C-alpha cells in the first residue's frame, strides 16, 4: 500500500481520447494524472498489433486537429495507415506535448468509489496504489475488453494461441505453420488476409459471415501528400459536417429517385472508392428502408459470389441474416480471394460447430483439425465491457454495472445520474461510437474541458446529471435507433453481442442521430448553463 495521491482530475486511459483530454486539462491549470493499464500510450493501437492491423479511416482524417503544427509536421505514408505507424504517431504526440510525465503506466484501475462526504473519487489500481480525484474522466475505449470464446479445453492447446488484441510485442513467425483463425469480424478479415500469405495451411472458423468491401489502400505519393496538407481545413470541415465524421458524405437522394442503371453505377463507384464510401456515403434511406437495404445487400452479395471461385464456399461467405451495413462493415484487401488459395479452408460453424479445443487442435462436430497456432479474432465485450471490468460505485454505493444491467442510461453519453463528477469520453449513448473516433472524441474532450472550466471557475465541488435529463436522453437515443435498421440486427452496436456469454438483451448503446446533431445538442446544453446538470 502507498499513500493516496490527490489530483483535481483523474483520466482513465492514455489512448487517442485520454491523451487529448490530458493536454486540455493541463491547459486549465488543474492537477491531473492519467492511469493507463498498458506499458505505453496508444490504447487500441498499443494492444492491437496483430498482423494486418490498420485503419479503416483515411489516415489524414484520423490525426488530431487541435494543433496546426502537428498537422503540418506529420506525413502519413499510406491512405490507411498500418498499426505501427499509428502507434508511432501517438508516441510522437505524447513526446511533442510532454504528456508522459503525467501518465502512470501499467496501472489497471480496479475500482472507483465516490465519496459523498468529500465529493471526490477514490480510485484503486491493481498494484495497490490509490488515487483521489475530484473528477474522473473515462477514456477507456469501446473495444478494449477482449473476449476469448468459452470453449471446453481452450487452455489445453499446446501451440501458440493468442487473442488479436493481446498479440505479443516480439515477432511471431507463423510462416509455413498450420494456423486456425476463429472469427470473421473486421479484425478477423485483416488477420486472415495477412496469414493467408504466409501460413502453410490456414483454416478459418466462421460463425457469421459479414459483408466486406474493398479498402482501396495505397501509398500516399508526394503530390497527394502536398494536396492533403494544403487542404486540411477543407478535409476537417467535411468531417465535421458528415453524420459519421468520415470524409464520405451520404447521398441526399433516396434509392428510389434514380433509375436501376444509375443506382448500379453509383454502387459500383462506391464499391471501388477507397474507404467507407459504400457504407456511409450511400443513399440516405438504405438504413431506414428495408426494401432499399435489400437492393444494396444484393449488390454486395453478388460481388462476393463473383470473387470466390468455389460456389459452395462463396455461399458460406454470403450473409443472409442481416442487411448490408447494419453491422460494422469490414474493409478488405483481397479477403475473398484468400479463399481461392489452395492453402486456405473455410469451416462454417453453423454447419459443424466447435465442440472442444484439444492439446493439438480444434474439434468440430464432424472431425478434428490439427494446428500449430490458434488466433482468436473473437472480438470484445463492446462499449460497456470496459466499464463492467471496473467496480464503479456512485451515490449510496450503487454500482454502475448494476445500474446498467437493466439497460444503459446516460445523459448525453457523457454522464450518468447518481455518479457525480464522472465523465465518459466516447461513452455509451454517445455519437462518437458510430463515428470516425478521433473526430468525435475531440468534440467530447472539448465539451468536457468547458464543463470543467465552468465547474472549477465557479468553485463548484460537484456536478451531477439530473434523473429527468437522463430519462430524456435515453428515450431519445432509443427513439432514433428504433427508426433505423441497425436495431433489427444482432451486433455489438445493439448490445446483442454473442461473443460474450450472458443474458444479452437489445440495448440502446449509440446515439444514431449523427455527429453534427449530437454536437449541436451538447452545445445547446452548455449554452443553457449546462441544462440537466445540478452543481453544488
Ligand atoms: P467482432 O466484430 O465482434 O467479431 C468477432 C468475430 O468472432 C465474429 O465473427 C464472431 O462471430 C466471432 N466469434 C466470437 N465468439 C465466437 C465463438 N465462440 N465461436 C466462433 N466465433 C466466434 O470483433 P472484431 O473483429 O475484433 O471487431 C470489433 C470492432 O473493432 C469492429 O467492428 C471495428 O469497429 C473495430 N475494428 C476496427 C478496425 C479498423 O479500423 N481497421 C479493425 C479491426 C477492428 P459472430 O459474428 O457470429 O458473433
Amino acid at each position: 500500500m502507498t499513500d493516496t495521491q490527490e489530483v483535481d482530475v483523474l483520466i482513465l486511459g492514455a489512448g487517442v481520447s485520454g491523451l487529448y483530454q490530458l493536454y486540455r486539462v493541463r491547459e486549465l491549470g488543474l492537477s491531473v494524472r492519467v492511469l493507463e493499464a498498458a506499458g505505453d500510450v496508444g490504447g487500441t493501437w498499443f494492444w492491437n498489433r496483430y498482423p494486418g492491423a490498420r485503419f479503416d479511416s483515411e489516415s489524414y482524417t484520423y490525426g488530431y486537429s487541435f494543433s496546426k503544427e502537428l498537422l503540418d509536421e506529420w506525413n502519413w505514408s499510406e491512405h490507411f495507415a498500418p498499426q505501427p505507424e499509428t502507434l508511432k504517431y501517438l508516441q510522437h504526440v505524447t513526446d511533442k506535448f510532454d504528456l508522459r510525465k503525467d501518465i502512470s503506466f501499467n496501472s489497471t484501475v480496479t475500482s472507483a468509489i465516490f465519496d459523498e462526504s468529500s465529493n471526490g473519487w477514490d480510485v484503486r489500481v491493481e498494484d495497490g496504489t490509490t488515487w483521489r480525484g475530484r473528477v474522473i474522466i473515462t477514456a477507456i475505449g469501446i473495444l478494449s475488453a477482449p473476449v476469448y470464446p468459452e470453449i471446453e479445453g481452450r487452455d489445453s492447446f499446446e501451440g501458440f494461441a493468442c487473442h488479436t488484441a493481446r498479440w505479443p510485442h516480439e515477432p511471431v513467425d507463423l510462416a509455413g505453420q498450420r494456423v486456425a483463425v476463429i472469427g470473421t469480424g473486421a479484425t478477423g478479415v485483416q488477420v486472415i488476409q495477412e496469414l493467408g500469405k504466409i501460413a502453410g495451411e490456414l483454416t478459418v472458423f466462421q460463425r457469421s459471415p459479414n459483408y466486406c468491401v474493398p479498402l482501396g489502400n495505397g501509398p500516399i505519393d508526394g503530390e497527394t501528400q502536398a494536396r492533403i496538407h494544403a487542404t486540411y481545413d477543407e478535409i476537417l470541415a467535411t468531417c465535421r459536417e458528415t453524420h459519421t465524421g468520415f470524409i464520405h458524405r451520404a447521398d441526399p437522394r433516396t434509392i428510389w429517385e434514380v433509375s436501376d442503371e444509375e443506382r448500379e453505377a453509383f454502387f459500383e463507384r462506391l464499391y471501388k472508392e477507397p474507404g467507407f464510401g459504400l457504407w456511409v456515403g450511400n443513399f440516405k434511406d438504405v438504413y431506414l428502408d428495408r426494401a432499399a437495404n435489400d437492393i444494396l445487400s444484393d449488390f454486395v452479395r453478388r460481388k462476393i459470389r463473383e470473387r470466390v471461385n468455389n460456389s459452395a464456399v462463396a455461399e458460406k461467405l454470403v450473409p443472409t441474416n442481416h442487411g448490408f451495413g447494419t453491422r460494422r462493415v469490414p474493409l478488405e484487401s483481397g479477403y475473398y480471394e484468400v479463399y481461392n488459395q489452395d492453402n486456405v479452408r473455410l469451416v462454417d460453424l453453423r454447419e459443424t460447430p466447435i465442440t472442444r479445443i484439444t492439446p493439438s487442435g480444434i474439434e468440430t462436430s464432424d472431425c478434428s483439425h490439427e494446428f500449430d497456432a490458434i488466433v482468436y479474432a473473437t472480438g470484445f465485450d463492446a462499449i460497456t465491457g470496459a466499464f463492467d471490468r471496473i467496480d464503479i460505485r456512485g451515490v449510496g454505493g450503487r454500482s454502475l454495472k448494476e445500474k446498467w444491467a437493466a439497460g444503459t442510461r446516460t445523459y448525453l453519453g457523457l454522464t450518468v445520474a447518481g455518479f457525480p463528477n464522472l465523465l465518459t469520453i466516447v461513452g455509451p449513448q454517445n455519437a462518437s461510437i458510430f463515428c470516425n473516433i478521433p473526430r468525435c472524441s475531440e468534440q467530447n474532450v472539448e465539451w468536457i474541458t468547458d464543463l470543467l472550466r465552468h465547474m472549477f471557475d465557479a468553485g463548484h465541488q460537484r456536478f451531477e446529471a439530473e434523473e429527468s435529463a437522463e430519462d430524456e436522453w435515453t428515450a431519445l437515443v432509443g427513439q432514433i435507433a428504433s427508426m433505423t435498421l441497425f436495431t433489427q440486427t444482432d451486433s455489438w452496436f445493439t448490445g446483442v453481442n454473442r461473443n460474450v456469454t450472458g443474458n444479452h438483451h437489445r440495448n440502446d448503446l449509440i446515439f444514431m442521430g449523427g455527429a453534427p446533431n449530437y454536437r449541436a445538442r451538447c452545445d445547446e446544453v452548455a449554452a443553457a448553463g449546462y441544462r440537466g446538470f445540478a452543481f453544488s
Side-chain angles (χ1 to χ4, degrees), residues 48-345:
N48 288 274
R49 43 183 84 217
Y50 58 86
R54 66 171 62 248
F55 285 152
D56 280 346
S57 305
E58 285 75 8
S59 308
Y60 40 90
T61 70
Y62 197 91
Y64 294 109
S65 71
F66 68 87
S67 161
K68 170 108 176 53
E69 195 178 282
L70 178 61
L71 282 169
D72 286 346
E73 73 194 9
W74 188 265
N75 290 323
W76 294 101
S77 68
E78 295 179 47
H79 284 273
F80 301 88
Q83 173 270 338
E85 187 171 335
T86 312
L87 184 57
K88 216 166 119 196
Y89 169 76
L90 292 171
Q91 288 165 341
H92 169 75
V93 174
T94 305
D95 294 336
K96 179 178 176 71
F97 298 106
D98 195 18
L99 299 178
R100 219 174 278 277
K101 66 177 185 222
D102 289 326
I103 307 175
S104 297
F105 294 106
N106 303 306
S107 296
T108 302
V109 171
T110 54
S111 67
I113 314 287
F114 186 68
D115 175 26
E116 286 174 72
S117 61
S118 63
N119 290 322
W121 284 90
D122 290 316
V123 170
R124 180 172 288 272
V125 175
E126 209 168 44
D127 65 5
T129 314
T130 51
W131 288 85
R132 163 160 282 238
R134 169 76 63 214
V135 173
I136 297 188
I137 304 173
T138 63
I140 53 182
I142 51 170
L143 297 158
S144 54
V147 175
Y148 285 90
E150 287 184 19
I151 302 172
E152 188 197 322
R154 188 169 59 76
D155 292 335
S156 71
F157 182 65
E158 287 171 355
F160 169 82
C162 187
H163 192 287
T164 44
R166 289 294 176 269
W167 202 263
H169 288 219
E170 58 281 2
V172 182
D173 185 9
L174 296 177
Q177 307 267 300
R178 298 166 304 170
V179 184
V181 175
I182 304 178
T184 52
T187 303
V189 166
Q190 291 187 331
V191 83
I192 289 162
Q193 284 165 183
E194 285 309 301
L195 295 181
K197 294 176 193 161
I198 59 161
E201 289 169 23
L202 175 66
T203 308
V204 176
F205 291 86
Q206 172 189 266
R207 189 164 66 183
S208 314
N210 282 304
Y211 296 90
C212 312
V213 300
L215 174 66
N217 190 28
I220 297 178
D221 60 35
E223 197 183 317
T224 310
Q225 193 73 259
R227 197 173 58 244
I228 289 168
H229 281 282
T231 56
Y232 256 129
D233 286 349
E234 287 108 280
I235 292 169
L236 293 167
T238 303
C239 293
R240 275 178 73 79
E241 285 165 22
T242 60
H243 196 87
T244 52
F246 289 100
I247 51 169
H248 309 275
R249 288 179 195 276
D251 196 286
R253 298 168 298 176
T254 71
I255 205 168
W256 313 112
E257 288 173 52
V258 298
S259 67
D260 291 356
E261 294 72 32
E262 210 178 327
R263 186 191 64 227
E264 195 67 10
F266 180 63
F267 286 170
E268 280 291 349
R269 178 168 68 70
L270 292 179
Y271 189 78
K272 293 197 180 95
E273 185 178 298
F276 279 134
L278 193 73
W279 190 24
V280 301
N282 221 303
F283 295 113
K284 69 175 182 188
D285 55 345
V286 290
Y287 307 117
L288 303 174
D289 176 346
R290 168 66 61 201
N293 185 272
D294 283 347
I295 295 174
L296 174 57
S297 302
D298 277 342
F299 172 85
V300 185
R301 289 188 190 116
R302 262 185 281 135
K303 289 289 180 197
I304 299 170
R305 292 186 178 109
E306 279 167 21
R307 291 174 56 183
V308 180
N309 297 342
N310 180 314
S311 58
V313 175
E315 286 317 307
K316 294 184 202 300
L317 290 165
V318 168
T320 50
N321 69 347
H322 68 282
F324 173 82
T326 60
R327 303 179 99 198
R328 164 54 152 90
V329 174
L331 295 185
E332 48 84 26
S333 306
Y335 173 66
Y336 289 111
E337 287 71 16
V338 168
Y339 296 98
N340 298 334
Q341 295 175 201
D342 291 339
N343 65 332
V344 178
R345 263 186 314 164

